[in-house]
Amino acid sequence: MTQELQMYTSLAPYWSLITPAEDYSEEAAFYEQLLIEHCQGAARTVLELGCGGGNNATYLKKRFVMTLTDLSSEMLAVSQRQNPECEHLQADMRTLRLGRQFDCVFVQDAVSHMNTEADLRMTMETAFQHCRPGGVALLMPDAVREHFCPSTECDGHDDGVRGLRYLEWTWDPDPDDSQYTVDFAYLLRDENGAVTTLHDRFVLGLFSRQEWLSWLEAVGFQAHAVPMDIDGVEPGRYEVFVARRPVS
């Protein structure tokens, strides 16, 4: 289930300082190639579930007609400023039903917030219902059980006088369940030089590759996993689930 997180609400105006769009060019090109390669027939339209601030769409919209959805109105506002030519809809990826289908459905790391089997399977059903026969869905969690590794990372950026730095601490308090924890500590510097500290806790889903594949196939997809292969990413750390809806 999703949580109310400051990253996606009060910190939305700082989104470009957390994860700037220019960092996404190579990653988006990787997704674009997968969508084109695995979609049967022309790949023209894409529904993105959990678009966040629209960083992937900044690049994908050059190739596809994008419909972007997110649960957070604050994040949608960020994406709308960055991608004004794209359709934006506030919606829960578990329950969205637009009554129309797309060539492709794309769900990047937002799918990791589906931290129970029930929530994840509902999201897969949403993807299936909105994917035309012969179309393809890409789902890319932050972790699968086979490759999970505790870690500590830090990053952040400046924008004029404003600045943000964060510490990201990934750990698993209970290896026997299907969730893991990511704690974020933020240092924010405002326009007047004042610095404040905030904390977020993400509780994310951690499922095996076979669970992902079996649940995708249970909703009707033909699915397989491919490694994320881009410069700067540790080989084998991430997997993308490629799911095609059969024509018949």
Side-chain angles (χ1 to χ4, degrees):
M1 123 181 333
T2 54
Q3 308 102 43
E4 184 73 14
L5 296 165
Q6 296 172 96
M7 179 181 285
Y8 306 137
T9 53
S10 61
L11 289 180
Y14 285 85
W15 185 248
S16 64
L17 305 185
I18 298 173
T19 176
E22 52 264 29
D23 291 350
Y24 281 68
S25 60
E26 188 174 1
E27 188 173 346
F30 174 75
Y31 299 135
E32 177 181 328
Q33 183 59 39
L34 283 179
L35 291 171
I36 294 170
E37 178 181 344
H38 292 281
C39 183
Q40 185 175 342
R44 298 188 183 94
T45 59
V46 175
L47 170 67
E48 182 173 0
L49 305 175
C51 68
N55 286 342
N56 281 301
T58 300
Y59 300 95
L60 295 177
K61 68 185 180 185
K62 300 173 184 177
R63 174 60 176 76
F64 307 106
V65 177
M66 303 286 295
T67 296
L68 309 179
T69 72
D70 201 273
L71 188 59
S72 165
S73 60
E74 294 90 344
M75 294 305 292
L76 278 177
V78 175
S79 180
Q80 284 174 317
R81 288 192 293 271
Q82 190 156 280
N83 304 297
E85 62 273 75
C86 297
E87 179 183 17
H88 286 79
L89 300 168
Q90 185 176 7
D92 188 321
M93 68 174 69
R94 294 166 293 187
T95 57
L96 173 69
R97 294 295 183 270
L98 294 179
R100 50 193 165 110
Q101 294 181 329
F102 300 78
D103 299 318
C104 308
V105 179
F106 175 53
V107 201
Q108 201 214 10
D109 53 4
V111 76
S112 297
H113 290 287
M114 302 299 102
N115 58 21
T116 68
E117 177 183 344
D119 284 343
L120 182 54
R121 293 181 72 149
M122 288 174 68
T123 299
M124 292 173 175
E125 181 65 30
T126 297
F128 185 81
Q129 292 297 326
H130 291 88
C131 186
R132 67 160 173 81
V136 66
L138 296 187
L139 301 94
M140 198 246 161
D142 279 337
V144 293
R145 182 170 296 282
E146 288 84 349
H147 301 305
F148 177 80
C149 184
S151 64
T152 303
E153 301 178 21
C154 58
D155 204 350
H157 302 271
D158 297 317
D159 177 14
V161 295
R162 294 192 316 160
L164 182 146
R165 298 294 182 273
Y166 66 81
L167 174 71
E168 179 183 358
W169 180 14
T170 300
W171 58 292
D172 188 356
D174 183 358
D176 294 325
D177 69 10
S178 61
Q179 300 175 348
Y180 69 102
T181 298
V182 182
D183 282 297
F184 274 90
Y186 313 96
L187 284 173
L188 287 78
R189 186 184 66 227
D190 67 17
E191 294 84 351
N192 300 314
V195 175
T196 56
T197 304
L198 297 172
H199 169 251
D200 265 337
R201 170 162 288 184
F202 294 18
V203 179
L204 304 178
L206 186 61
F207 305 100
S208 70
R209 182 188 304 108
Q210 187 53 50
E211 286 173 319
W212 273 90
L213 294 174
S214 64
W215 296 339
L216 284 166
E217 291 169 2
V219 302
F221 283 117
Q222 297 171 339
H224 66 283
V226 299
M228 186 175 192
D229 182 18
I230 64 173
D231 291 340
V233 172
E234 178 185 348
R237 180 173 180 181
Y238 298 109
E239 293 190 22
V240 182
F241 292 93
V242 179
R244 179 184 290 158
R245 178 167 178 167
V247 174
S248 59

